[in-house]
């Protein structure tokens, strides 16, 4: 039968209702392509699960590249390399392409120089991008959606980019050889000619970390780890025309690598480090030789039995032999000691003998045990490649050796393990292994062990005077050095001369290593020493004086420039001696002079495009390398005074108007090009020279300008002055420290937004004690000169900051963090991407990016088409638009649009309330193969039951065991809502249960169960907290029942516990505990209350309740506080889910895998409360995990589970006789796990299919894999078609799973509201009829009154007649009163139908409903003590205040029931007795009472006899 529909609730009512919904943030609306669920009918709605992000499902083809929809290939985020991706205007992220495995992207920028939508330029360390070969640099066209290489790329890491759109140039900075010209570390790509062009200043002599424009764009600022040297125009440089041997820059670099060695980059110029090894004597500690070679203990094995190939020592002595492993065996080469090694790469010579050879290897270094990523040149293609786990050795006999460079630069270690993985022939063979250094070493310390390698040239050391061996030990190494004690009164000559072996001429930095005096214990007697360097054959020396008064080991630069190679006629030398004017000692009468070692570091090769050198000043004495083919300059530093030139460290400003072509990397610059930034560089250089142990880490990472002030950030400091940040006035050149002396850690990035300067990096506060607490990001106000925090900051270091072009008040924050923190301390998962809004001083909702974001770029605000998009790069695995941390709220707007939102301030930790370990989720977006069942959790037990499974299960068979699905923390597995009627404002409390932990907003921790109140920021929880995994909970009255797996509360109980929400305390005593079967644990999976009774159904896996046998399903009487067995009960097994059927909830439907008392195995069974009997419902393929009854209809039940034979998931429908699969059952693919089934109301009617009506759909939730749709968390099913609906993401970026949809309305209507309610039509009719009657009465009064006016004969008669007319008018009032009574009754029914019961609370109908409910409630006196009985919904008693009219009895002629009944209409069955209370006010609808239940309402007059 059909009924008229009621209208949609007006928007103002929706607004009123939503005012009582829990506060939520991070809302996102469902796309119009999805079916519209009407959550407003369900009240407050939540969805819990194991996820941290939740999104509406969209088709994989729904989004394309930023400006083109022509792409047919779906691009995904990479778990192996960095990904370039963009954020669209709707807040969603889309990948564009990823690097090769291990590739890194450090910087990107956007240029519109050549196209309307522009081009992205990308720099880092990679060999390919989206399958396009590109060496460290690439571009991406937003017009063609394609990647391209930039020429032959750049041969070295790229750290920073700047897109100069006004000049059609892209600037690159890093550590690389110049692609054209003679400079290095700076390169320029011309967008107009699509080619590399040399920078106007040649290049810089060190690593470049930052390139930014000045405020007016007239200059470019460069920051990094380099120096520039400025000389006065009036100063003269001596010997400028001296002979070739006396000039710098004329050395010839010749590779030292053996012939036919495959080199990479500059590896051919690197020096092999000769390592000696052998059997160590007892008590011997490995050390550093006086000749600079390192002795280590070597092991290789398993070795061959051939004696001439079994000695591993030959591997460290190139050309001395070969080593073979046992046949067909993976072999290891281990080299370990206690001394530090420093190497840049490794040269491996394959042992191609007897048809053997090694194919792949990998290197792991100690003591960190890190497997190194290495770069090599493929001899077949000539291209650079990277490798880590399988580095190839080629078996071509024409290749004498292969060089592999450590991708992350020079590594320091005490040993390494080389695993030889694959081979040709009978097994592994190797000839030699040599570590490559980027220069040379010579050590003064020595041990007594003799080198086992006699071949090869070595570094040597000579001493003059009295020197003694000393040792310095650390946790990971033991190093030797020399020490000399000299009288302060009569100092004698003590000198150490180092003769380093330099394999190739080139540009080098030469460092002296000074042992720290604290570990050596000689701080009071340390002084200064003179250093003299002779780098060139026939050249003059470079002298400087340095202090050895350093607390910690310090590496001090003493020379930078060209160095000749070691030959038979020449060896570069470095001498160290007591200074001519030694610094005074702190106490005592003796000087202590120490000599440890020198290190040469190759910075460039002469005559090559990679030529560069480093300039620096050391402790006030300036030294500089001056290389270059066009300049001849004296290298005798004693002839250039400090007044002649100055050195600037870390910063360089290049004016675009400059016409100079002097190479800044290799030449002196004129002081007329100095700028205020240059003078800041002078200050930094002076502080660097005085900084001692911290000098080696100095770098400038960022430079920004605002108005006329330049801000510089990085890793530098001056004691009691500034730390890591500085500012300089662009006009006066006055440098100044920032408030509180700066920041406590490294500054990586800076940006200007809305008049503020923001700094990001690795710091947690200002530098001075008592300053502002900051977490990795800070705001500086140049006007008030004060620091401020950004809320609570973030939880990891920041790598980049961007000023948004979409909003002038937004700052984009990128880095290696996972959460943003609000000012009150609550955190929200964000991943490495966040936005701070300066106008609201709060973090914006940006969803979750799973991974770290290293770089970003935003198009200019004037760009059309893509101005609302931004571009990023980093190690990102996926994203979610909504950060929901285990629980999300679902709601519907007035127009029917559904919305996902999160609870404000709710953030669950990574640890759970259960001690079980978390499982690793699959990668989001990956399609699981249909055969993946064998690797799912089901496969752990289905194999064991296949043998005993059969089409017809025999009596007394054992039900298959259901293994509990993993619930990795954080996971919300159950939820409920409770209205605190006794509190002011009647707040709604959201109750969550699961496997999680969180910080309580009131202090302490919350575990297992948590409470969230309207307007509350964060969670609270019961005390004591709940241990174990909470899988179900239910609010009954003012009590919440809690159950699950391993659930326990200290001092309260376990298995099933009850918490009094009003009294805020656990209930103790009175409820016998649930007990498991032998060898099992108690698990409670479902807690449901049978409406209008005190019966609470508890289902799960247990055997008894107290001493009562009550397996799997037990009934708790909350009124009498006792357990009872439902009928004959179940004999064993597990019940996963329950639901009710029948208008009076007289039938219980149980799903799982269990045995009835008769021994029959069932997966779904019904229990009749009327006759206390169990009945198995048909035959299903296997255990049922979820069940749903369609609006209490016992002939329309859906069950989901998996086949016990092959694990295939199923969804089947029970029609009262048999189970049947859906027409599209194959859509639910193997590997799917269904956690919950629930019918949800729809906002729009759909075409009905099968047994599902057109006003509802079945929501299937869990971890689903749908054919043609892929991974889905929740899907809608209309009886024939599947609609992917929600997709969840785990906290690691993998696939999430949903567990429970929960809502506040205990009952709701599915009817789709289109038309006016029948009650409203009746009301209008009554109103019209009442008006007509009143009109007729008024006319009658007038007719009666007029004649009698004429008949007035005396006053008494007139008064009597007047009074009589008044009395007649009173009778009309009775008529009106009668109609008012009918009006009130109909109005009550109308109000109920209009708001669906949700807003009832005023009027006669509300009062009547309240009285009727009170009649069914029991005396609350038994609850006053706080002991059991508990949980009854009859907690407030009352009696009827007035007697009802008895009416007349009759019998129903037809059924008047079904889901389309409106509020106020009385559901009745044919043949049922009914009492008619009012049949006079309407001929179509009569007001009646059900004598069995006392319910009252209207029924059709034609439906009764």
């Amino acid at each position: 039968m059909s009924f008229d529909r009621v209208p949609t609730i007006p928007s103002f009512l929706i607004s009123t209702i939503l005012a009582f919904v829990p506060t939520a943030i991070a809302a996102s609306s469902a796309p119009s392509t999805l079916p519209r669920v009407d959550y407003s009918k369900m009240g407050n709605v939540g969805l819990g699960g194991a996820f941290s992000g939740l999104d509406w499902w969209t088709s994989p083809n729904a989004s394309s590249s930023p400006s083109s929809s022509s792409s047919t290939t779906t691009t995904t985020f990479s778990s192996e390399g960095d990904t370039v991706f963009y954020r669209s205007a709707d807040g969603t992220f889309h990948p564009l392409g990823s690097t090769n495995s291990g590739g890194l992207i450090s910087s990107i920028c956007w240029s519109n120089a050549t196209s309307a939508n522009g081009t992205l330029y990308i720099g880092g360390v990679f060999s390919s991008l989206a399958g396009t070969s590109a060496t460290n640099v690439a571009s991406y066209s937003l017009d063609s959606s394609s990647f391209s290489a930039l020429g032959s790329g750049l041969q070295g890491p790229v750290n920073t980019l700047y897109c100069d759109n006004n000049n059609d140039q892209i600037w690159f900075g890093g550590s690389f050889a110049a692609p054209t010209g003679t400079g290095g570390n700076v390169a320029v790509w011309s967008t107009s000619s699509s080619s590399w062009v040399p920078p106007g200043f040649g290049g810089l002599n060190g690593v470049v970390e930052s390139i930014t424009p000045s405020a007016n764009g007239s200059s470019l600022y460069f920051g990094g780890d380099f120096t520039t040297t400025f000389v006065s125009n009036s100063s003269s440089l001596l010997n400028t025309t001296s002979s070739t041997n006396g000039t710098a820059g004329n050395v010839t670099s010749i590779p030292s690598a053996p012939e036919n060695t495959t080199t990479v980059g500059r590896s051919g110029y690197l020096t092999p480090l000769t390592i000696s090894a052998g059997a160590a004597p007892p008590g011997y500690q490995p050390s550093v030789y006086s000749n600079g070679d390192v002795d280590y203990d070597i092991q290789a094995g398993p070795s061959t039995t051939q004696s001439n190939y079994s000695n591993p020592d030959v591997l460290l002595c190139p050309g001395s032999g070969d080593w073979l492993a046992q046949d067909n065996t993976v072999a290891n080469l281990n080299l370990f000691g206690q001394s530090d090694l420093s190497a840049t790469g490794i040269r491996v010579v394959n042992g191609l003998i007897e048809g053997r050879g090694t194919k792949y290897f990998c290197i792991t270094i100690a003591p960190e045990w890190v497997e190194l990523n290495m770069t090599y040149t493929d001899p077949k293609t000539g291209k650079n490649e990277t490798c880590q786990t399988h580095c190839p050795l080629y078996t071509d006999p024409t290749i004498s050796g292969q060089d592999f460079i450590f991708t992350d630069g020079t590594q320091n270690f005490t040993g390494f393990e080389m695993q030889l993985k694959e081979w040709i022939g009978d097994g592994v063979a190797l000839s030699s292994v040599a570590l490559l250094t980027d220069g040379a070493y010579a050590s003064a310390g020595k041990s007594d062990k003799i080198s086992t390698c006699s071949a090869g040239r070595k570094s040597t050391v000579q001493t003059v005077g009295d020197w003694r061996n000393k040792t310095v030990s650390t946790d990971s190494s033991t190093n030797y050095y020399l020490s000399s004690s000299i009288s302060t009164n009569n100092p004698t000559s003590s000198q150490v001369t180092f003769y380093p072996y330099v394999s190739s001429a080139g540009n080098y930095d030469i460092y002296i290593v000074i042992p720290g005096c604290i570990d050596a214990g000689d701080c009071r007697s340390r002084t200064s020493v003179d250093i003299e360097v002779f780098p060139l054959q026939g050249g003059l020396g470079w002298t400087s004086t340095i202090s050895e008064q350093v607390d910690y080991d310090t590496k001090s630069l003493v020379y930078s420039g060209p160095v000749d190679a070691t030959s038979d006629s020449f060896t570069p030398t470095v001498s160290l001696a007591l200074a001519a004017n030694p610094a005074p000692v702190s106490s005592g009468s003796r000087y202590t002079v120490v000599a440890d070692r020198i290190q040469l570091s190759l910075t460039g090769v002469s005559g090559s495009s990679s030529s560069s050198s480093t300039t620096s000043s050391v402790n006030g004495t300036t030294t500089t390398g001056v290389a270059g083919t066009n300049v001849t300059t004296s290298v005798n530093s004693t002839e250039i005074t400090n007044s002649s030139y100055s050195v600037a460290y870390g910063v360089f400003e290049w004016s675009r108007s400059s016409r100079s072509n002097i190479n800044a990397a290799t030449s002196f610059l004129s002081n007329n090009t100095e700028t205020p930034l240059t003078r800041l560089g002078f200050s930094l250089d002076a502080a660097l020279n005085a900084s001692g142990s911290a000098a080696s880490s100095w770098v400038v990472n960022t430079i920004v300008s605002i108005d006329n002030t330049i801000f510089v950030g990085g890793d530098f400091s001056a004691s009691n002055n500034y730390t890591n940040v500085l500012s300089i006035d662009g006009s006066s050149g006055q440098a100044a420290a920032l408030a509180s002396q700066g920041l406590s850690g490294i500054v990586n990035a800076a940006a200007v937004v809305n008049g503020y300067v923001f700094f990001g990096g690795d710091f947690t506060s200002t530098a001075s004690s008592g300053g502002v607490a900051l977490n990795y990001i800070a705001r500086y106000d140049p006007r008030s000169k004060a620091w401020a925090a950004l809320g609570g900051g973030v939880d990891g270091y920041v790598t980049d900051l961007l000023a948004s072009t979409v909003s002038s008040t937004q700052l984009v924050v990128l880095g290696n963090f996972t959460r943003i923190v609000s000012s009150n301390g609550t955190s929200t998962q964000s991943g490495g991407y966040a936005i701070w809004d300066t106008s609201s001083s709060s973090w914006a909702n940006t969803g979750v990016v799973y991974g770290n974001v290293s770089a970003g770029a935003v198009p200019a605000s004037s760009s059309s088409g893509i101005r609302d998009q931004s571009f990023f790069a980093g190690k990102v695995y996926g994203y979610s638009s909504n950060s929901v941390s285990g629980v999300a709220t679902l709601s519907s707007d007035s127009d029917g649009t559904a919305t996902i939102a999160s609870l404000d301030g709710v953030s669950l930790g990574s640890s759970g309330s259960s001690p079980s370990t978390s499982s690793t989720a699959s990668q989001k977006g990956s399609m699981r193969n249909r055969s993946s069942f064998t690797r799912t959790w089901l496969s752990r037990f289905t194999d064991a039951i296949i043998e005993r499974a059969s089409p017809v299960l025999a009596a007394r068979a054992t039900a298959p065991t259901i293994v509990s699905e993993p619930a990795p923390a954080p996971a919300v597995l159950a939820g409920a809502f409770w209205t605190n009627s006794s509190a002011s404002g009647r707040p709604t409390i959201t109750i969550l249960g699961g496997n999680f932990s969180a910080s309580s907003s009131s202090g302490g921790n919350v575990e297992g169960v948590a409470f969230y109140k309207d307007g509350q920021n964060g969670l609270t929880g019961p005390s004591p907290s709940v241990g174990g995994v909470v899988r179900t909970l239910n609010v009954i009255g003012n009590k919440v029942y809690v159950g699950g797996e391993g659930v326990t509360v200290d001092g309260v109980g376990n298995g099933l516990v009850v918490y009094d929400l009003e009294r805020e305390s656990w209930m103790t005593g009175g409820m016998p505990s649930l007990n498991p079967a032998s060898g099992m644990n108690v698990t409670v999976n479902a807690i449901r209350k049978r409406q209008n009774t005190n019966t609470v159904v508890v289902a799960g896996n247990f055997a008894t309740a107290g001493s009562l046998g009550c397996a799997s399903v037990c009934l708790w009487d909350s009124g009498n506080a006792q357990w009872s067995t439902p009928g004959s009960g179940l004999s064993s097994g597990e019940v996963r889910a329950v639901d009710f059927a029948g208008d009076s909830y007289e039938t219980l439907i149980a799903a799982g895998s269990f045995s009835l008392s008769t021994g029959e195995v069932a997966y779904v069974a019904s229990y009749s409360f009327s006759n206390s009997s169990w009945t198995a419902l048909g035959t299903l393929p296997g255990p049922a995990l979820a069940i749903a009854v369609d609006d209490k209809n016992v002939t329309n039940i859906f069950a989901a589970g998996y086949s016990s034979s092959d694990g295939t998931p199923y969804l089947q429908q029970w029609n009262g006789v048999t189970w049947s699969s859906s027409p599209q059952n194959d859509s639910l693919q193997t590997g799917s796990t269904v956690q919950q089934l629930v019918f949800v109301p729809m906002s729009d009617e759909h075409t009905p299919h099968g047994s599902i009506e057109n006003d509802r759909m079945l929501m299937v939730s869990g971890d689903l894999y749908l054919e043609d749709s892929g991974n889905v968390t929740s899907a809608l099913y209309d009886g024939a078609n599947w609609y992917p609906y929600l997709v969840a993401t785990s906290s690691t970026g993998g696939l999430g799973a949903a567990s429970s949809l929960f809502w506040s309305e205990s009952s709701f209507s599915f009817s789709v509201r289109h038309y006016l309610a029948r009650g409203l039509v009746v009301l209008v009719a009554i109103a019209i009829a009442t008006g007509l009657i009143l009109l007729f009465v008024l006319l009658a009064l007038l007719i009666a009154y007029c004649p009698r006016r004429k008949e007035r004969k005396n006053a008494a008669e007139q008064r009597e007649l007047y009074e009589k007319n008044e009395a007649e008018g009173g009778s009309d009032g009775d008529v009106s009163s009668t109609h008012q009574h009918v009006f009130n009754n109909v109005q009550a029914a109308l109000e109920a139908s209009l708001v669906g019961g949700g807003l009832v609370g005023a009027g006669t109908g509300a009062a009547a409903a309240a009285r009727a409910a009170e009649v069914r409630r029991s005396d609350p006196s038994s609850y006053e003590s706080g002991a059991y009985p508990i949980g009854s919904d009859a907690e407030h008693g009352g009696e009827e205040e007035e007697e009802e009219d008895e009416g007349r009895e009759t019998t129903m002629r037809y059924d008047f029931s079904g889901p389309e009944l409106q509020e106020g209409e009385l559901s009745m069955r044919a043949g049922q007795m009914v009492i008619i209370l009012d049949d006079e006010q309407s001929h179509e609808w009569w007001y009646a009472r059900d004598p069995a239940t006392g319910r009252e309402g209207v029924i059709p007059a034609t439906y009764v006899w």
Side-chain angles (χ1 to χ4, degrees), residues 994-1075:
N995 181 20
F996 59 79
S997 63
S999 298
S1000 173
S1001 59
S1002 58
N1005 290 323
V1006 176
E1007 292 185 355
V1009 171
F1011 307 135
Y1012 179 86
K1013 186 174 69 174
D1014 291 358
Q1016 169 183 304
N1017 197 356
L1019 297 171
T1020 59
S1023 180
S1025 60
V1026 179
V1029 178
V1030 175
R1031 293 194 176 274
T1032 182
L1033 56 81
N1034 200 348
V1035 173
I1036 302 173
N1038 291 320
K1039 315 293 190 304
V1040 57
Y1041 287 62
V1042 179
E1045 184 177 352
V1047 167
T1048 180
V1049 177
D1050 291 343
V1052 177
N1054 52 53
L1056 177 67
V1057 289
V1058 183
Y1059 185 79
D1060 189 318
L1061 294 166
E1062 273 195 326
R1063 296 189 174 122
E1064 298 183 349
S1065 63
W1066 290 103
M1067 306 294 293
T1068 57
M1071 175 184 281
S1073 63
L1074 299 175
N1075 305 305

Side-chain angles (χ1 to χ4, degrees), residues 377-731:
T377 298
D378 187 330
K380 296 180 180 179
T381 64
K383 295 181 178 180
N384 286 354
E385 305 287 350
T386 59
C387 63
Q388 186 165 354
T389 60
H390 285 75
C391 293
L393 283 179
Y394 292 92
T395 55
D396 184 349
T398 63
I399 300 175
S400 63
Q402 287 178 249
D403 288 355
F404 296 83
I405 298 301
F406 303 149
T407 305
D408 292 334
T410 300
Q411 302 292 316
N412 296 310
F413 48 90
T414 60
F416 68 84
E417 177 183 84
M418 182 178 186
Q419 187 177 69
L420 310 174
K421 297 187 173 184
E422 296 184 26
W423 54 87
I424 61 173
D426 292 335
V428 166
L430 208 58
S431 180
S432 69
V433 176
L435 292 175
L436 301 177
T437 68
D438 56 359
Y441 296 86
S443 176
K446 64 180 180 179
S447 70
D448 296 329
K449 193 173 181 182
I450 298 175
S451 172
T452 59
C453 279
S454 58
R457 306 180 72 104
K458 303 177 179 65
S459 301
T460 59
V461 175
Q462 292 182 353
T463 62
V464 175
D466 183 17
W467 294 89
R468 298 180 182 274
N469 266 320
K470 300 285 186 178
T471 60
V472 175
S473 298
T474 64
D475 294 337
S476 60
S477 64
T478 300
N479 292 326
Y480 288 75
Y481 70 98
L482 295 179
S483 177
S484 179
S485 180
I486 304 171
S487 171
T488 58
N489 297 324
N490 186 23
T492 58
S493 175
S494 291
Q495 179 174 305
V496 174
T497 303
F498 300 88
Y499 299 89
Y501 170 66
V502 180
S503 62
S504 298
N507 294 312
Y508 288 84
D509 287 342
I510 300 180
Y511 295 92
I512 288 279
V513 178
I514 307 170
C517 68
I518 293 179
D519 290 337
D522 55 9
C523 291
R524 294 180 179 274
S525 58
R526 288 285 183 98
T527 182
S528 56
V529 294
D530 286 337
I531 304 296
E532 188 168 18
V533 180
F534 289 90
L536 301 171
Q537 186 172 5
L540 300 177
W542 289 72
T543 61
S544 59
T545 300
I546 64 174
S547 172
E548 293 193 325
Q549 296 169 333
V550 294
D551 293 339
Y552 304 98
D553 292 355
T554 300
K555 189 167 70 172
S556 182
L557 182 70
V558 295
Y559 172 79
S560 180
V563 177
D564 270 328
T566 299
S567 64
D568 293 338
S569 60
F570 174 76
T571 297
T573 61
V574 179
S575 63
L576 178 152
L578 178 67
N581 297 299
V585 297
S586 299
S587 63
S589 58
R590 302 192 70 82
Y591 297 117
T592 295
V593 177
V594 293
D596 188 342
R597 59 189 181 273
I598 66 168
Q599 175 184 343
L600 279 72
S601 179
L602 180 67
T603 61
V605 289
S606 178
S608 129
S609 62
S610 60
S611 176
S612 63
S613 62
T614 303
T615 356
S616 180
S617 62
V618 183
N619 294 335
T621 303
T622 305
T623 61
T624 181
V626 282
T629 57
N630 297 324
V631 182
T632 55
T633 306
S634 171
V635 296
N636 187 349
S637 63
T638 60
E639 298 186 52
I640 302 178
T641 64
N642 289 336
S643 61
S644 300
Y645 63 90
S646 301
V647 176
Y649 173 79
V651 294
F652 175 66
E653 180 176 351
W654 178 69
S655 173
R656 296 183 187 276
S657 61
S658 173
R659 295 294 179 264
S660 173
N661 60 358
I662 296 178
N663 193 324
T666 59
S667 305
F668 289 107
L669 304 177
S670 172
N671 67 354
N672 61 15
T673 63
E674 292 178 8
T675 67
L677 186 64
T678 304
R679 287 187 279 278
L680 178 63
F682 296 156
S683 300
L684 287 174
D685 185 72
L688 170 64
N689 297 325
S691 64
S693 61
S696 61
S697 65
W698 275 42
V699 67
V700 172
N701 289 323
T702 183
I703 304 174
V704 297
S705 59
I706 177 173
D707 297 330
N708 202 35
T709 303
I710 304 169
F711 292 86
V712 176
D715 184 6
F716 51 80
S717 63
S719 180
N720 297 318
N721 192 341
Y722 56 81
T723 304
N724 301 318
V725 284
L726 269 174
S727 69
I728 187 166
D729 188 288
S731 299

Side-chain angles (χ1 to χ4, degrees), residues 1172-1460:
S1172 301
S1173 62
W1174 284 95
T1175 303
L1177 299 186
T1179 302
L1180 286 168
L1185 304 178
I1187 197 79
V1189 180
D1190 186 1
D1191 200 19
K1192 303 186 290 295
N1193 186 352
V1194 75
T1195 63
N1196 194 21
I1197 303 172
F1198 282 80
Y1202 62 91
S1203 169
S1204 60
S1205 61
D1206 62 4
T1208 303
Y1210 67 79
L1211 174 67
Q1212 295 200 14
Q1213 184 257 345
W1214 172 258
N1215 60 9
V1217 178
T1218 185
W1219 292 100
S1220 60
S1221 300
S1222 71
Q1224 302 294 326
N1225 194 55
D1226 289 343
S1227 294
L1228 195 62
Q1229 298 285 287
T1230 297
S1232 298
T1233 301
V1234 177
Q1235 302 276 21
Q1236 186 190 42
L1237 299 175
V1238 61
F1239 283 95
V1240 291
M1242 306 304 294
S1243 296
D1244 308 296
E1245 291 181 344
H1246 60 85
T1247 302
H1249 297 284
S1251 61
I1252 298 182
E1253 295 90 332
N1254 63 357
D1255 55 4
R1256 70 201 70 184
M1257 285 190 185
L1258 181 67
M1259 180 180 285
V1260 184
S1261 298
D1263 186 3
L1264 313 180
Y1265 179 55
L1266 298 182
E1267 187 177 30
D1268 300 328
S1269 300
N1271 303 121
V1272 176
T1273 301
S1274 293
L1276 298 173
Y1277 179 66
D1278 67 1
N1281 303 302
W1282 287 90
Y1283 301 92
Y1285 191 60
L1286 293 169
V1287 178
T1289 313
S1290 71
S1291 58
T1292 60
L1295 296 172
S1299 297
S1300 175
L1301 184 78
F1302 54 97
W1303 57 93
S1304 61
E1305 288 294 330
S1306 59
S1307 62
F1308 54 84
S1309 171
F1310 287 98
S1311 299
V1312 177
R1313 298 168 180 174
H1314 291 299
Y1315 308 106
L1316 291 175
R1318 187 182 297 273
L1320 184 58
V1321 176
V1322 173
L1323 175 60
V1324 173
I1326 292 175
I1328 294 174
T1330 302
L1332 291 174
I1333 292 173
L1334 291 175
L1335 180 59
F1336 285 129
V1337 171
L1338 180 59
L1339 291 175
L1341 288 174
L1342 290 174
I1343 292 172
Y1345 178 74
C1346 291
R1348 288 175 180 170
R1349 281 187 65 186
K1350 300 178 181 179
E1351 296 174 359
R1352 293 177 187 171
K1353 293 182 178 180
N1354 55 63
E1357 285 183 40
Q1358 291 174 357
R1359 285 194 300 272
E1360 181 180 357
L1361 179 60
Y1362 182 76
E1363 289 171 0
K1364 181 177 179 180
N1365 288 340
E1366 280 187 329
E1368 291 174 354
S1371 67
D1372 291 341
D1374 293 338
V1375 172
S1376 183
S1377 176
T1378 300
H1379 283 279
Q1380 182 64 38
H1381 174 70
V1382 175
F1383 176 81
N1384 289 340
N1385 283 335
V1386 177
Q1387 182 185 31
L1390 173 66
E1391 289 174 346
S1393 65
L1394 277 173
V1395 299
L1399 298 177
V1400 173
T1404 307
R1411 289 195 298 272
E1414 289 170 356
V1415 170
R1416 297 190 294 273
R1417 292 174 183 155
S1418 59
D1419 187 346
S1421 60
S1422 60
Y1423 303 101
E1424 294 302 319
S1425 64
Y1428 290 96
I1430 60 177
S1432 173
D1433 61 349
E1435 298 199 9
H1436 301 285
E1439 299 181 358
E1440 292 194 35
E1441 298 177 358
E1442 56 182 274
E1443 295 293 331
E1444 298 288 345
D1445 184 9
E1446 292 298 325
R1448 65 180 178 86
E1449 292 185 356
T1450 185
T1451 304
M1452 292 295 296
R1453 185 177 183 182
Y1454 306 113
D1455 285 347
F1456 182 64
S1457 61
E1460 296 182 332

Side-chain angles (χ1 to χ4, degrees), residues 912-948:
S913 51
S914 170
S916 60
T917 58
S918 299
S919 63
T920 302
S922 302
Q923 179 65 32
K924 181 180 179 182
S926 62
M927 299 297 187
R928 288 188 292 229
N929 191 280
R930 293 187 63 162
S931 63
S932 63
F933 158 72
T934 56
R935 296 272 61 87
T936 65
W937 61 270
L938 296 173
S939 64
R940 297 197 297 267
F941 63 89
T942 50
D943 293 341
I945 65 175
I946 288 176
E947 294 182 1
R948 65 171 181 265

